[in-house]
Amino acid sequence: TLMNLTKEIGRGELAVPKLDKSLPEEFTDLYQGFVLMGAAIEQREAEIIYHAERDVLTGLYNRYKILNKIKYYIQSNTHLVLITFNIKDFKAISDTIGTHNTDIILKQIACRINVYIENISHNESSKESFKKGVSARVNSDEFLVGLPITNTETIVQYIEQLRIDLERPFIITEIKIHLNIFYGVSNSIDNDTDAEKLVSRSALAASTANQNKVPVNFYQQGDDEAYLYKLHLIEELKAALD
């Protein structure tokens, strides 16, 4: 019985069944030891998986995990809108109020995102097969929100609500701090069904919003080529100067 149990644990079957036969006392104690060991290994594996998939500070998904989530949604024929947003002059803010306080702001942003997604899910729960949104912290001051959509008509409404939730002032040591946030948007109906392209295109749209000083920018076909052309010109200029 004990040898079979060790083989099961070795195969990763950590849910040890209740002992269904009578064993001598010392073997019963050993069996219970295996039960505790299996539970401890299972808990440790869960913690390892959690830290491999999550941003340590905010608890949101990391870039690797949200890419897999997006791929899963698209493969299950669920369209998504991706909203990437970043904070203008984040480093300057951090230098001014300190990293401890900026960490508090980042955690509060994560909480607001979670509440936002819960509210969206609650409002859409009456619709058949509605899947919950996902979110990630993909860079120091860059976040990504993915929401299931059946058409593009709801996108503007989703963005407006996200802006309302995120752009309320943050209270740090009794001081109100307003953040300038820029949003970039792509969706799998109009733009692409490749997860990595969708993520990079929403990030590109957010970067363009920042450069053009507009709060929200939607990815348009051809933006990739225009961006690459600009990079090519910069490299040619450097070479010419050399």
Side-chain angles (χ1 to χ4, degrees), residues 47-189:
E47 290 174 356
I48 291 170
I49 292 171
Y50 180 88
H51 289 297
E53 296 177 345
R54 302 275 178 167
D55 171 59
V56 175
L57 179 66
T58 63
L60 300 179
Y61 287 139
N62 57 27
R63 182 183 177 87
Y64 166 79
K65 180 61 178 179
I66 202 167
L67 268 173
N68 286 339
K69 280 284 187 180
I70 294 168
K71 289 175 183 176
Y72 167 75
Y73 276 29
I74 291 174
Q75 288 169 359
S76 60
N77 298 318
T78 300
H79 283 294
L80 292 170
V81 56
L82 300 187
I83 307 168
T84 294
F85 66 89
N86 51 50
I87 304 164
K88 183 175 175 59
D89 298 327
F90 179 74
K91 187 179 185 306
I93 295 170
S94 180
D95 291 341
T96 302
I97 66 175
T99 55
H100 173 71
N101 288 324
T102 50
D103 284 351
I104 293 173
I105 290 176
L106 293 172
K107 290 177 183 178
Q108 289 184 12
I109 288 174
C111 289
R112 292 185 186 187
I113 291 172
N114 289 332
V115 172
Y116 166 79
I117 289 176
E118 286 295 333
N119 289 337
I120 293 288
S121 301
H122 177 73
N123 293 336
E124 301 289 341
S125 60
S126 59
K127 297 181 181 180
E128 189 178 356
S129 308
F130 181 81
K131 293 184 175 67
K132 193 174 179 181
V134 290
S135 58
R137 183 187 178 203
V138 293
N139 211 331
S140 60
D141 65 334
E142 187 170 274
F143 294 80
L144 174 62
V145 176
L147 298 170
I149 55 172
T150 54
N151 56 68
T152 58
E153 295 172 2
T154 57
I155 292 176
V156 172
Q157 177 188 341
Y158 285 166
I159 294 169
E160 288 176 352
Q161 187 57 54
L162 182 61
R163 291 188 65 191
I164 290 171
D165 291 346
L166 290 179
E167 294 177 16
R168 299 195 314 271
F170 295 84
I171 310 299
I172 303 295
T173 61
E174 300 182 356
I175 298 173
K176 285 186 179 181
I177 296 178
H178 295 267
L179 299 180
N180 290 322
I181 301 176
F182 295 92
Y183 304 81
V185 186
S186 66
N187 72 82
S188 60
I189 296 177

